[in-house]
Amino acid sequence: MISVEGLHKQFGSLEVLKGIDQHIEKGEVVVVIGPSGSGKSTFLRCLNLLETPTKGRIVFEGIDLTDPQHNVDLTRQKMGMVFQQFNLFPHLTVLKNLTMAPLKLKKMNKAEAEAEAHRLLGQVGLSDKAEAFPVQLSGGQKQRVAIARALMLHPDVMLFDEPTSALDPEMVGEVLTVMKSLADAGMTMVVVTHEMGFAKEVATRVLFMDEGVVMEEGTPDQIFGNPQNPRTKLFLSKVL
Amino acid sequence: MRAESSSARFLFARLLSKKTSKLGIFPAGGRLFKDVNSAMSEFFQSIGTALYNTLIVQDRWFSLLHGLGITLIITLAAIVLGTLLGIIFCLLKLSKNKFLRGIAHVYIEVIRGTPTVVQLLLIYYGIFGSVDLNKILVAIIAFGINSGAYVAEIIRAGILSVDHGQMEAGRSLGLGYWPTMFTIILPQAVKNILPTYTSEFIVLLKETSIVGYIALVDLTKAGDQIRSDTFDAYTPLIIVALLYLCMTLTLAKIFGILERRLRKSDIR
């Protein structure tokens, strides 16, 4: 589904990604872990071209996204993105946060969009918040709305950039539950997170990143049970 | 004609002084009453005379009203033009194209860095010097161009105040740059810029008082003409000042209501 070939990303003289090759299959839940500054968020943001790769190719469903001829807006409609800081639109109600993109892109009419929005809000357990403004929600509720918003266009893959890092501890669970049910329903997911419990339980594959490369990858059992790379061992000994 | 006008003045003054004695602040009888009453009646009589000279004689109220209309027309049209120019030049200044950014930069710096009067005179005697263009139109163009530079910077500050994550969220939903800018960034920017924009509107309204330089009779000029006709500086100019104050207070009130409406989404 997503092929990453020789991905490099430089910010000025700082080389953040130093050559990443990955292949993500449909239905996989890939969890990316690693110390801060390891380049894992940059890797995720390169997947939907929020960051432009300096070098290398990203091929999504047979289309080379790094081709300058390609219209990235079309591809982004098939990739949902959830941010650490939620990034809900504060001037719109929850319902309008969800229906805005499908209506603007003329993917649905108003009735369809609102029906779909209500269905998704029910799915994330926020049916009663459709008319609320983002400022009236808790962090966990905001992030669940953000997930529902990203699902509106029925994406083929969901990208999560540290979705629970900005939450109070007691709200982490509700967000992870929604993500787990999404994974159980067969959604392809790439998740950057510090939630090792989630990685162990939900991931089909874990990538350990450090210094701009994937140092080690494998099933959760391999990575958490029997890590091979000394950097992986050191990192896990600090966080577990 | 002359007798008629002086008897009318007498009636007008009488009317005012009668009103004050009716207020009953000083009860009838006693020396004090007589002294104060006559002093007050003299005072109000002189105000009455001044008002009469300023407003009634030669239908001067009409020239004030006409000037007020000119001031309002120039201000309203110029703020519309200035806002349009402001949006355009603000987006140019935020553009990735170096050339477009350069144009916006030069426009903003030149307009902000030179006196409005000089700009007005240059546009009137210079650019439109050989064309017979309506003076009001010239003033609208001059003030529109002037205000555009300030509005551009006000809007730019508003756009920059919106969190960068908003643009990323819009883009990651598959919306293009411009649709995201117009449906997500600008509505939030508008809320942030409203107080400063109100100030710019008020400044513009007051600044139009220099159109006398191109011989347009706006509110200020009309008041000043009455001053030179009547040799009374206070009455016409205070009336003019009060009229400006009424307009600016009304503007502030309207924008205050608008701002409260836009803040609806901030209520917890």
Side-chain angles (χ1 to χ4, degrees), chain B residues 226-238:
Chain B
I226 294 171
R227 176 197 61 77
S228 72
D229 286 352
T230 59
F231 304 109
D232 174 9
Y234 282 118
T235 320
L237 294 180
I238 285 175

Side-chain angles (χ1 to χ4, degrees), chain A residues 40-82:
Chain A
K40 51 192 194 308
S41 274
T42 307
F43 167 64
L44 190 80
R45 290 162 57 85
C46 279
L47 293 182
N48 70 349
L49 255 53
L50 278 184
E51 303 292 353
T52 314
T54 317
K55 215 160 67 177
R57 282 185 357 135
I58 293 162
V59 181
F60 174 68
E61 296 180 340
I63 301 163
D64 183 0
L65 305 188
T66 47
D67 178 358
Q69 304 293 319
H70 171 67
N71 180 355
V72 71
D73 292 336
L74 293 177
T75 306
R76 285 188 180 136
Q77 293 166 21
K78 295 180 190 167
M79 303 170 114
M81 177 105 183
V82 175

Side-chain angles (χ1 to χ4, degrees), chain B residues 41 78 80 87 103 149 245 254:
Chain B
S41 118
V80 171
I87 292 172
I103 292 176
L245 192 61
I254 291 171

Side-chain angles (χ1 to χ4, degrees), chain A residues 45 48 50-51 72-73 76-77 79 81 83 87-91 97 100-101 104-105 133 135-136 149-150 153, chain B residues 163-177 179 183-185 187-188 191 264-268:
Chain A
R45 290 162 57 85
N48 70 349
L50 278 184
E51 303 292 353
V72 71
D73 292 336
R76 285 188 180 136
Q77 293 166 21
M79 303 170 114
M81 177 105 183
F83 299 88
N87 293 346
L88 293 183
F89 307 133
H91 60 305
N97 262 276
M100 205 265 322
K104 269 273 155 200
L105 297 167
F133 281 101
V135 73
Q136 297 162 323
R149 182 177 71 179
L153 289 170
Chain B
D163 180 41
H164 188 61
Q166 294 289 310
M167 178 55 90
E168 290 190 343
R171 297 307 304 276
S172 72
L173 286 168
L175 295 171
Y177 176 83
T183 52
I184 295 169
I185 309 295
Q188 295 182 57
K191 193 172 71 177
K264 204 177 63 180
S265 63
D266 292 347
I267 301 161
R268 279 160 203 269

Side-chain angles (χ1 to χ4, degrees), chain A residues 82-95:
Chain A
V82 175
F83 299 88
Q84 182 178 350
Q85 297 298 337
F86 327 124
N87 293 346
L88 293 183
F89 307 133
H91 60 305
L92 301 178
T93 62
V94 165
L95 186 69

Side-chain angles (χ1 to χ4, degrees), chain A residues 126-143:
Chain A
L126 293 169
S127 298
D128 54 332
K129 298 290 184 192
E131 295 308 321
F133 281 101
V135 73
Q136 297 162 323
L137 305 179
S138 73
Q141 290 171 332
K142 278 183 200 166
Q143 195 60 297

Side-chain angles (χ1 to χ4, degrees), chain A residues 99-161:
Chain A
T99 58
M100 205 265 322
L103 291 181
K104 269 273 155 200
L105 297 167
K106 300 195 165 49
K107 294 281 175 188
M108 302 176 189
N109 65 37
K110 195 158 182 269
E112 287 169 345
E114 289 187 353
E116 180 64 7
H118 282 296
R119 188 184 71 80
L120 284 167
L121 284 177
Q123 200 176 312
V124 300
L126 293 169
S127 298
D128 54 332
K129 298 290 184 192
E131 295 308 321
F133 281 101
V135 73
Q136 297 162 323
L137 305 179
S138 73
Q141 290 171 332
K142 278 183 200 166
Q143 195 60 297
R144 284 186 280 154
V145 170
I147 293 172
R149 182 177 71 179
L151 289 169
M152 278 298 286
L153 289 170
H154 307 123
D156 296 336
V157 58
M158 286 283 283
L159 310 175
F160 291 87
D161 187 5

